[in-house]
Amino acid sequence: MENSRRDFIKKLTTGSAAVAFGGLGLGFSAKSYARIVGSNEMVRVALMGCNGRGSFLARAFTQQKNTSVHYICDVDPKAIQKGLAAVRRAGGSNDPKTEEDFRKALADKDVDALAVAAPDHWHAPATIMGCQAGKHVYCEKPLSHNPNEGELAIAAARKYKRIVQMGSQRRSWPVLTQGIQELHNGVIGNVHMAKAWYTNNRGSIGKGVPATPPAGFNYDLWQGPAPRKPFRSNLIHYNWHWFWHWGTGEALNNGTHEIDVIRWGLKADYPLLVNSTGGRFHYQDDWETPDTQLITYNCPGNVTVLWEGRSCNGRLVEGADRGVIFYGESGSMSTGGNSYTIYDQKNKIVKEVKSDAVIDGRNTASPSEGLDAIHITNFIDSIRQNKMPNADVETGHKSTLWVQLGNIAQRVGHTLNIDQRNGHILNDKEASKYWSRQYEPGWAPKV
């Protein structure tokens, strides 16, 4: 990114890249890299995954200036229809092309960017493939299913000179950004503790049974990089979050957001020590990841960080279902949403700044989709200006890694010591087994 635009373009157009992934060989030559998006050119996006956040991304990208959703890709034909409907509601002038297999969209030289809203086990592999195909990538959080994938995603973005933005939208919220700047300026003195939380009242997923995938649903491609397992009745379209094989639990599903804010506020790269307690306590069902979890971190500079997750008990903390508090020498700051409140040591409010954006009406600081779309705008602007986005792939990896380390500590049942040079686990063969994963033969991501 520090090179001149001329050198930047030269490096993109004098190399070549090829990827063979999952049995479908798609060659990406230097021609794939030759099209550099200008300030007024149309940015064409291929969307992968249309359930849940995918429909929001379809609307958000459609509403960006000089931006179009060129492809809607999903292994479920019903989800494709959701994506098309979202584009139409957002005022799209033309229906996007549709593909079951997003890799075919990557082979289209007219596509500039890939937006990834597939399940977690696809996030990093799809990001890597997008970079190798010469596309910029917007990837929903978490960046990866395991730490090794996150490192590969960074390597791919840097090697192929692609802009990669993780969907940690808070990095683009204007009032929160102002609050973090005040924190950095010492408004509450040195911070020695930060706390984050997420609460919900999720129900049981029950006991699944072997089943036939829905008609038209390509379960083999849905599994993609993950080793094959039989389809079960309680897996799609959301419960995969709670199975280690495909998901990453509540900690990464939601905790990634608040941990990212804490890391941002503390200017912290890696923790020194990580510990986690909890488990699946509320129901006796197939849910594998914790529904109750406390992750604690000891960090450089004499700082303690705590993340509290309660998937099955919605009792609010400080009047909100999620949030962040920084505790400093001369006061504290409550934030996490697009607002912040500063208190002195006697709990008196010193300053309160509220969001000027519409929120979703719950007793929380969660934003509306309009506020989230600011992050999409930052991604598009970064493509046009060849600049680092607010939540660059390395930023996304570090924040994802913190919570992954919490899950690893949970699974091995002991404290982890962390290498400050790279975030790796020190001298722990048992924990290091979770640094990567096994892949379906032929599907392991490589850079």
Side-chain angles (χ1 to χ4, degrees):
M1 288 313 207
E2 296 176 357
N3 296 321
S4 68
R5 179 177 174 83
R6 180 178 299 174
D7 290 340
F8 181 71
I9 295 172
K10 182 179 179 181
K11 286 185 177 182
L12 294 185
T13 56
T14 56
S16 63
V19 58
F21 209 100
L24 178 61
L26 296 175
F28 301 108
S29 69
K31 295 179 180 179
S32 302
Y33 300 83
R35 186 172 182 273
I36 304 301
V37 178
S39 60
N40 295 312
E41 283 188 72
M42 181 70 71
V43 175
R44 296 175 175 85
V45 179
L47 173 61
M48 177 193 182
C50 301
N51 280 296
R53 288 289 291 182
S55 292
F56 158 70
L57 293 180
R59 293 190 296 274
F61 277 107
T62 298
Q63 292 171 341
Q64 297 294 313
K65 183 179 179 181
N66 292 336
T67 305
S68 70
V69 177
H70 204 54
Y71 280 90
I72 294 289
C73 307
D74 202 288
V75 298
D76 184 351
K78 293 181 179 178
I80 285 179
Q81 293 306 311
K82 289 180 182 178
L84 290 172
V87 170
R88 292 166 190 154
R89 287 195 302 270
S93 57
N94 296 298
D95 275 352
K97 299 177 182 179
T98 61
E99 286 290 352
E100 178 183 72
D101 192 331
F102 82 103
R103 294 172 293 183
K104 295 180 181 178
L106 293 185
D108 189 332
K109 61 181 177 58
D110 290 331
V111 171
D112 303 296
L114 172 69
V116 181
D120 293 0
H121 69 283
W122 257 116
H123 284 194
T127 294
I128 294 163
M129 294 173 70
C131 292
Q132 290 171 326
K135 318 304 182 187
H136 306 289
V137 181
Y138 183 96
C139 181
E140 282 291 287
K141 57 77 203 154
L143 179 69
S144 60
H145 183 266
N146 57 77
N148 182 64
E149 289 182 347
E151 293 181 326
L152 289 175
I154 295 172
R158 302 300 184 244
K159 178 176 181 178
Y160 300 108
K161 304 296 190 294
R162 298 297 87 188
I163 291 160
V164 177
Q165 171 103 301
M166 188 178 84
S168 45
Q169 298 86 358
R170 286 156 179 78
R171 290 273 178 166
S172 296
W173 294 358
V175 178
L176 174 58
T177 300
Q178 176 184 325
I180 295 296
Q181 187 59 55
E182 290 214 43
L183 193 71
H184 292 168
N185 291 340
V187 69
I188 60 172
N190 291 327
V191 175
H192 290 306
M193 180 177 176
K195 177 175 71 177
W197 67 92
Y198 175 83
T199 69
N200 206 330
N201 278 310
R202 301 189 190 277
S204 173
I205 66 171
K207 296 282 189 177
V209 296
T212 301
F217 180 80
N218 189 335
Y219 181 53
D220 186 70
L221 187 55
W222 183 89
Q223 294 187 92
R228 298 299 178 258
K229 284 195 172 185
F231 186 80
R232 54 192 306 114
S233 59
N234 60 349
L235 179 61
I236 62 170
H237 278 293
Y238 197 80
N239 291 338
W240 55 264
H241 280 93
W242 322 126
F243 294 92
W244 291 118
H245 193 69
W246 303 284
T248 52
E250 199 77 88
L252 279 96
N253 183 39
N254 276 294
T256 307
H257 285 304
E258 278 72 32
I259 288 296
D260 182 60
V261 172
I262 288 178
R263 223 179 48 75
W264 185 14
L266 297 178
K267 297 183 180 179
D269 286 325
Y270 307 111
L272 295 166
L273 302 174
V274 184
N275 189 46
S276 176
T277 58
R280 175 55 168 166
F281 297 149
H282 203 81
Y283 298 103
Q284 299 298 313
D285 57 8
D286 288 339
W287 184 313
E288 296 173 348
T289 63
D291 63 23
T292 305
Q293 189 172 14
L294 292 174
I295 304 175
T296 55
Y297 305 87
N298 285 358
C299 305
N302 298 319
V303 183
T304 293
V305 171
L306 169 69
W307 181 78
E308 173 186 341
R310 285 181 281 112
S311 300
C312 300
N313 185 305
R315 175 72 178 182
L316 303 179
V317 177
E318 300 280 338
D321 62 358
R322 65 190 310 166
V324 173
I325 301 177
F326 294 96
Y327 300 93
E329 294 173 321
S330 58
S332 61
M333 176 187 287
S334 295
T335 185
N338 191 41
S339 61
Y340 64 96
T341 304
I342 299 171
Y343 299 85
D344 65 17
Q345 289 288 58
K346 295 183 179 180
N347 294 314
K348 180 182 177 181
I349 294 178
V350 176
K351 185 175 183 179
E352 185 174 19
V353 184
K354 296 183 178 180
S355 172
D356 55 2
V358 177
I359 63 174
D360 61 9
R362 295 184 298 155
N363 188 19
T364 177
S366 296
S368 67
E369 287 188 354
L371 192 55
D372 278 2
I374 297 173
H375 202 53
I376 306 293
T377 302
N378 174 255
F379 174 64
I380 297 297
D381 288 346
S382 298
I383 292 174
R384 296 190 187 285
Q385 300 169 29
N386 290 329
K387 68 177 184 179
M388 193 75 75
N390 288 342
D392 172 64
V393 60
E394 186 171 349
T395 296
H397 166 66
K398 289 177 180 178
S399 297
T400 300
L401 174 61
W402 274 52
V403 203
Q404 287 171 334
L405 291 171
N407 276 346
I408 293 172
Q410 174 71 35
R411 298 180 79 174
V412 299
H414 59 248
T415 299
L416 309 180
N417 293 278
I418 307 304
D419 190 330
Q420 294 303 286
R421 297 171 298 177
N422 52 22
H424 283 223
I425 301 166
L426 288 169
N427 306 318
D428 194 328
K429 290 184 178 180
E430 182 184 6
S432 295
K433 292 177 182 178
Y434 293 102
W435 192 261
S436 186
R437 71 167 303 166
Q438 294 296 315
Y439 293 91
E440 180 70 7
W443 283 84
K446 297 178 181 178
V447 179

